[in-house]
Amino acid sequence: MNEAIRNLEPKALWNKFADLNAVPRPSKKEERVIAFMKDFGKSLGLETMEDEVGNVIIRKPATRGMEDRKVVVLQSHLDMVHQKNNDTDFNFDTQGIEMYVDGDWVRAKGTTLGADNGLGVATIMAILESNEIEHPAIEALFTIDEETGMTGAKGLKGGLLKGDILLNLDTEEDDEIGVGCAGGVDVTATGTYNETEAPKNSANFAIKVKGLNGGHSGMDIIKGLGNANKLMNRLLFATKDFMQLAKLEGGSLRNAIPRESVAHVVVSSEEKFLAAFEKMKKDILLEYKSLESKLSITAEKSNETFTKVMTDKDQRNFLNAMNAAHNGVYRMSPDIEDLVETSNNISKVTVDNGNIKIENLTRSSVESSKEVLANALTSTFELAGYEVKLAGDYPGWAPNMDSAILKVLDNLYQKMNGEKANVAACHAGLECGILGQNYPDMDMISFGPTIKGAHSPDERASISSAQKYWDFVMEILKNIPKK
């Protein structure tokens, strides 16, 4: 199946992508891909090192005639988001990604593809391996754990890199040149609840929300897609007088809009419960019919028996907190058209055995606005009696419209494509803002090939765009300014 990928153009890029995707590389479990990348660098006879947090740096001297150019850092992250359809049998810890060609797209069979940021990694690998590509001196920086904490970028010490320019290959529209990004913070609420005996002569139901698009909790948040956790809460709130919650599990990763949620409830009056459920289900399906064509909402009797349920008081408290917690776009940028400034994704909710956990990812390109929303969420959950912790805080990347490398890329793009590139900031967590803390004088820019549906099993990479992007990279390397 992956052999078809290897025959795509440019072959140098797609072959390295196939090699990389054969290596399991979930976030927080990058040991194998770190070893893979170190072996790759050493096999080429290039200076290769791993820093103390697991980032890999490979250095390659300039090709003949390019020694007087500024040193370029080519940067991408090694980890990938691991998401799969619920009917897909796949183990991200042991299996390589199974890819196939679908028209102009490369897709994976029921899982995320890993084009985010695998195509960037593969690009750098192909450049390092080539004896024909003209380039200045290169420092290849492969960071770890970008998707779940950016701990690689955070842990990279100042002074390790000598480069003057950083090319981040992690933007997902081939006509876009990234000059800024959002920062983020994890907001986690935890609490306990009292349990009571499930009423006798009751029925057990499983409520399921599935089939949502999901997607990147930053780049796709502007689309207004369904969030399985919020939709489930609406269903539970509508039926609260006729059921008691026994267990709930919704979502999986902070940086993915939740696609599925399952709640187990004990029902005292089936007729009233189903009537209230069907009314809310109808409302939700009507609201999302143009956005979520595959949305499925069901309530079916379950063979699973629960003897303990949440008390009425604690159930009301939980449902109210989930109702009040903001999800989605909080503020649009007043300065950049169509850019989300601040947002929150209620990414994962777990209720079981007397414990509640609600996980959020709050993003903003403005630090003060990020703080406002994080404080609002904290207030909401603390009013419910839950403990709230903020962690994994990372800064945004402020645009520098006077960047010298921006001018190079802007001019090259227009010359090659006959139109101007979209110079923009994005509502996602690129590593540039973090790297810039220890390398404040490094001129940074971000770009990449077109990738759709990142962080979901619908992730796909455009084949024609990959060729366009590859040609762009080749021209950029030839036109790096002199020292």
Side-chain angles (χ1 to χ4, degrees):
M1 182 179 297
N2 289 352
E3 287 306 310
I5 309 302
R6 293 185 180 278
N7 289 322
L8 298 173
E9 295 291 347
K11 287 185 178 179
L13 172 61
W14 289 109
N15 270 276
K16 289 303 166 203
F17 185 57
D19 291 345
L20 178 67
N21 261 1
V23 183
R25 52 192 176 97
S27 303
K28 304 290 188 189
K29 299 179 180 179
E30 295 106 330
E31 295 85 1
R32 280 161 294 194
V33 73
I34 290 170
F36 166 81
M37 197 56 63
K38 288 165 64 179
D39 289 344
F40 172 75
K42 291 175 182 177
S43 72
L44 298 174
L46 300 176
E47 179 187 350
T48 302
M49 65 165 288
E50 177 186 351
D51 74 1
E52 58 189 49
V53 296
N55 300 312
V56 177
I57 299 171
I58 302 175
R59 293 185 171 91
K60 185 179 183 183
T63 54
R64 183 175 298 179
M66 300 284 284
E67 297 90 347
D68 62 343
R69 306 299 178 94
K70 291 183 176 182
V71 177
V72 171
V73 178
L74 296 176
Q75 187 264 321
S76 290
H77 62 84
L78 293 173
D79 62 315
M80 65 171 284
V81 169
H82 43 106
Q83 288 274 283
K84 66 182 183 70
N85 291 322
N86 61 351
D87 58 352
T88 297
D89 184 14
F90 190 88
N91 188 337
F92 284 98
D93 290 344
T94 59
Q95 293 178 251
I97 303 300
E98 298 177 15
M99 300 180 285
Y100 67 97
V101 176
D102 178 18
D104 186 48
W105 301 98
V106 172
R107 297 177 179 265
K109 286 186 63 178
T111 71
T112 38
L113 175 64
D116 172 17
N117 187 213
L119 282 178
V121 173
T123 301
I124 302 170
M125 291 176 68
I127 293 166
L128 292 174
E129 187 177 66
S130 174
N131 293 318
E132 300 175 357
I133 296 171
E134 295 180 61
H135 61 77
I138 287 171
E139 290 182 308
L141 172 61
F142 302 101
T143 50
I144 62 158
D145 193 33
E146 188 267 357
E147 299 290 6
T148 60
M150 298 206 180
T151 54
K154 289 177 181 177
L156 183 74
K157 289 187 174 179
L160 276 180
L161 301 175
K162 307 302 179 185
D164 307 291
I165 295 167
L166 183 139
L167 304 180
N168 169 275
L169 308 180
D170 196 16
T171 293
E172 295 171 3
E173 295 287 348
D174 67 16
D175 63 348
E176 182 174 308
I177 298 174
V179 294
C181 71
V185 62
D186 297 339
V187 180
T188 304
T190 56
T192 60
Y193 61 90
N194 295 306
E195 292 184 305
T196 186
E197 296 291 330
K200 295 180 180 180
N201 302 317
S202 56
N204 295 292
F205 275 79
I207 303 175
K208 297 181 180 180
V209 175
K210 60 182 182 178
L212 291 165
N213 285 305
H216 193 293
S217 66
M219 299 301 290
D220 293 326
I221 204 79
I222 194 173
K223 297 176 181 177
L225 298 169
N227 178 302
N229 291 323
K230 290 294 274 189
L231 296 185
M232 176 60 77
N233 199 70
R234 289 177 63 181
L235 295 162
L236 296 175
F237 196 86
T239 59
K240 64 183 185 299
D241 294 333
F242 316 112
M243 67 80 190
Q244 288 175 282
L245 182 61
K247 183 179 180 180
L248 187 153
E249 187 169 358
S252 58
L253 300 173
R254 286 188 194 269
N255 52 11
I257 298 171
R259 303 167 56 245
E260 299 175 354
S261 180
V262 178
H264 293 274
V265 298
V266 176
V267 174
S268 55
S269 171
E270 292 185 41
E271 183 178 352
K272 291 180 179 178
F273 165 76
L274 288 172
F277 172 85
E278 289 298 330
K279 183 179 184 305
M280 180 53 67
K281 171 184 174 179
K282 182 180 179 181
D283 289 345
I284 292 172
L285 291 177
L286 183 63
E287 289 173 27
Y288 285 91
K289 66 177 183 179
S290 62
L291 283 174
E292 301 284 5
S293 61
K294 297 180 181 179
L295 171 58
S296 169
I297 301 173
T298 59
E300 298 177 348
K301 281 191 174 181
S302 171
N303 293 325
E304 194 167 355
T305 302
F306 294 91
T307 58
K308 300 284 187 180
V309 293
M310 189 182 288
T311 63
D312 289 340
K313 180 181 178 181
D314 287 334
Q315 177 170 291
R316 183 169 59 252
N317 197 46
F318 167 69
L319 295 178
N320 285 341
M322 283 294 297
N323 262 348
H326 182 85
N327 179 81
V329 176
Y330 182 75
R331 187 172 191 246
M332 297 296 292
S333 170
D335 303 312
I336 302 176
E337 187 177 359
D338 296 328
L339 175 68
V340 177
E341 178 192 280
T342 309
S343 74
N344 184 61
N345 178 47
I346 302 180
S347 54
K348 187 175 182 180
V349 179
T350 308
V351 176
D352 194 17
N353 291 323
N355 294 298
I356 293 170
K357 188 173 185 180
I358 305 167
E359 300 177 49
N360 304 262
L361 175 52
T362 302
R363 300 177 188 264
S364 183
S365 53
V366 177
E367 287 297 300
S368 59
S369 187
K370 183 175 71 177
E371 183 179 353
V372 166
L373 182 50
N375 286 342
L377 291 164
T378 298
S379 298
T380 298
F381 294 127
E382 285 186 348
L383 284 169
Y386 304 152
E387 180 182 1
V388 181
K389 291 185 178 179
L390 307 184
D393 195 0
Y394 59 90
W397 169 31
N400 175 17
M401 302 311 290
D402 294 323
S403 160
I405 193 61
L406 169 60
K407 291 179 173 60
V408 171
L409 267 67
D410 200 15
N411 290 333
L412 276 177
Y413 186 93
Q414 186 167 359
K415 180 180 178 181
M416 295 176 69
N417 299 286
E419 59 184 6
K420 289 187 69 66
N422 176 27
V423 178
C426 70
H427 192 63
L430 297 174
E431 293 158 290
C432 299
I434 298 171
L435 295 171
Q437 290 184 310
N438 284 333
Y439 296 90
D441 296 326
M442 196 177 288
D443 198 3
M444 300 184 182
I445 206 80
S446 181
F447 63 100
T450 296
I451 299 167
K452 299 292 187 183
H455 298 192
S456 82
D458 192 41
E459 182 183 4
R460 57 205 185 276
S462 167
I463 297 167
S464 57
S465 174
Q467 181 67 66
K468 173 186 174 183
Y469 151 80
W470 176 259
D471 293 341
F472 192 34
V473 173
M474 297 301 101
E475 288 302 310
I476 292 168
L477 293 176
K478 291 177 186 177
N479 285 275
I480 296 296
K482 292 184 178 181
K483 297 177 183 178

